[in-house]
């Protein structure tokens, strides 16, 4: 919102003004996050399967998102093997007075996307792997605590396995993580229902965008 009058996108003089944006309560966490979040997969570069982007363009786009009122940014370690996380860390450091929510994701140890019904938790998210990549993400983001840590793949058959439950509880008790989420496989909204019943999951991420709006 401009100090003089409301600044809407496309209006003269609105480019440098802070835009207002609708907010939504995020899952069980209740955080007031912007209705439009910023997904940072493409900022991982060539190793993430994206070409043509430059970091200076990425930084400019992220800054513009903040100007327009975006306060929720979703990344993952696998997006550039930490590079996308580092760019988000820079952005957060450049706006110390703004609350920018940072969500990232743990890569499956077997590097298989998506997981399969026969995937075993000990091959995908063993305890030491969860801890290792939490530490990597903390370092890349330049923070002491991750706002939202998500499992990048998930199988509902793992719901009641105490191994991941204990590890997540430990990370929370150590103050390294606030919220925990699961990113469910494409077109499998049911593949997380039992996990939600454990009461340990704060958010669920599904694939839903302008190109793919299947349930």
């Amino acid at each position: 919102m401009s100090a003089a009058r409301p600044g809407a996108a496309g209006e003269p003089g609105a480019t440098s003004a802070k835009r207002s944006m609708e907010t939504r309560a995020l899952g069980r966490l209740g955080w007031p996050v912007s209705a439009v979040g910023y997904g940072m997969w493409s900022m991982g570069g060539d190793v993430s399967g994206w070409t043509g982007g430059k970091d200076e363009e990425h930084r400019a786009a992220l800054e513009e998102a903040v100007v327009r009122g975006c306060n929720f940014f979703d990344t993952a370690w696998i997006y550039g093997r930490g590079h996308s996380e580092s760019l988000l860390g820079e952005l957060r450091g450049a706006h110390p007075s703004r609350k920018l929510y940072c969500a990232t994701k743990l890569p499956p140890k077997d590097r298989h996307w998506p997981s399969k019904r026969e995937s075993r938790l000990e091959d995908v998210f063993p305890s030491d792997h969860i801890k290792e990549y939490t530490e990597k993400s903390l370092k890349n983001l330049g923070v002491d605590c991750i706002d939202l840590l998500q499992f990048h793949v998930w199988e509902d058959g793992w719901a009641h396995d105490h191994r991941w439950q204990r590890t997540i509880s430990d990370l929370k008790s150590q103050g390294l993580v606030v919220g925990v989420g699961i990113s469910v496989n494409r077109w499998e909204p049911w593949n997380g229902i039992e996990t939600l019943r454990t009461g340990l999951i704060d958010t669920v991420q599904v694939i839903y965008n302008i190109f793919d709006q299947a349930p």
Side-chain angles (χ1 to χ4, degrees), residues 125-180:
F125 292 120
S127 179
D128 59 345
H129 177 78
I130 294 173
K131 294 176 181 177
E132 177 186 355
Y133 279 83
T134 298
E135 292 290 346
K136 287 179 183 289
S137 292
L138 285 165
K139 181 178 180 180
N140 293 332
L141 290 166
V143 297
D144 296 321
C145 179
I146 296 172
D147 294 326
L148 178 60
L149 182 68
Q150 304 161 103
F151 291 92
H152 209 158
V153 300
W154 193 255
E155 290 297 325
D156 219 17
W158 304 334
H160 299 291
D161 193 308
H162 294 297
R163 291 173 294 181
W164 72 266
Q165 295 181 1
R166 283 194 296 265
T167 306
I168 287 301
S169 295
D170 288 345
L171 292 174
K172 283 190 170 186
S173 66
Q174 294 169 32
L176 301 178
V177 172
V178 178
V180 176

